[in-house]
Amino acid sequence: VNGDYACGRVRLMGMDVSDERRYMVVFGGGYDPNQDLETPASDAMGRAIFVIDAETGGLIRKFDSSDNSQMVYSIPSDVLALDTTGDAGQTIDRVYVGDMGGNLWRVDLDDRSTTNSPSGWSMVRLANLSTTSRINKLFNRPTMARSIFEGLGFDAIFVGGGDTQRPAATTTAVSGAFFMVKDMTEIG
């Protein structure tokens, strides 16, 4: 992936794209050694999420800073790939992943059209979990629990953050934290 340090595992998934069933892999762009610095700046590599055709190896879609200018940090963690619609084909339609800047991303791989063209897929930053005093690098794969509170449905996304290159660190700038982010959805 352009010389990046690949870290996370790829996820094989079935999807209906342009009226045909295709098998794809999705993964983060990898690790940037810039993150090894005491005070890392924005990363130069690994700042993307890739969707690749599992049969041909061809690029189907790449999400990067051209999709969202806030994607400036590498993504070495595993992605969480889900079938959120519960459709009969059990196809993957959503991905969650964190980056080294403490950002939690959601990628929608279903534009809800009959053709589901990759050009209609979207990416949003759900949360920035870093503060000026705590980086909260997101090395770990998020997990999700579908939830309802006071009649409103949402996906509860759980992810742990911190600087795993320095696990014995005790300062608040590099110590870890655990988060739950509400991704609001409609009931039914």
Side-chain angles (χ1 to χ4, degrees), residues 166-175:
R166 293 177 278 181
T170 58
T171 65
T172 58
V174 295
S175 61

Side-chain angles (χ1 to χ4, degrees), residues 136-158:
N136 290 318
K137 297 177 179 183
L138 301 179
F139 273 106
N140 302 302
R141 180 178 70 102
T143 192
M144 187 272 288
R146 179 103 350 123
S147 304
I148 297 175
F149 180 71
E150 295 183 350
L152 295 176
F154 64 93
D155 292 337
I157 312 304
F158 300 92

Side-chain angles (χ1 to χ4, degrees), residues 16-19 61 109-111 113-121:
D16 292 327
V17 178
S18 302
D19 293 329
R61 183 77 156 80
L109 301 175
D110 188 345
D111 67 2
S113 72
T114 55
T115 59
N116 192 27
S117 171
S119 64
W121 299 349

Side-chain angles (χ1 to χ4, degrees), residues 79-156:
V79 301
L80 174 64
L82 301 167
D83 173 11
T84 62
T85 61
D87 58 2
Q90 298 178 341
T91 57
I92 299 301
D93 55 68
R94 183 165 292 165
V95 170
Y96 292 101
V97 69
D99 70 21
M100 298 304 288
N103 298 299
L104 181 62
W105 299 94
R106 182 187 76 212
V107 178
D108 290 308
L109 301 175
D110 188 345
D111 67 2
R112 306 295 188 238
S113 72
T114 55
T115 59
N116 192 27
S117 171
S119 64
W121 299 349
S122 62
M123 176 182 70
V124 296
R125 183 174 79 164
L126 283 181
N128 178 353
L129 303 173
S130 287
T131 68
T132 55
S133 62
R134 185 188 304 262
I135 297 170
N136 290 318
K137 297 177 179 183
L138 301 179
F139 273 106
N140 302 302
R141 180 178 70 102
T143 192
M144 187 272 288
R146 179 103 350 123
S147 304
I148 297 175
F149 180 71
E150 295 183 350
L152 295 176
F154 64 93
D155 292 337

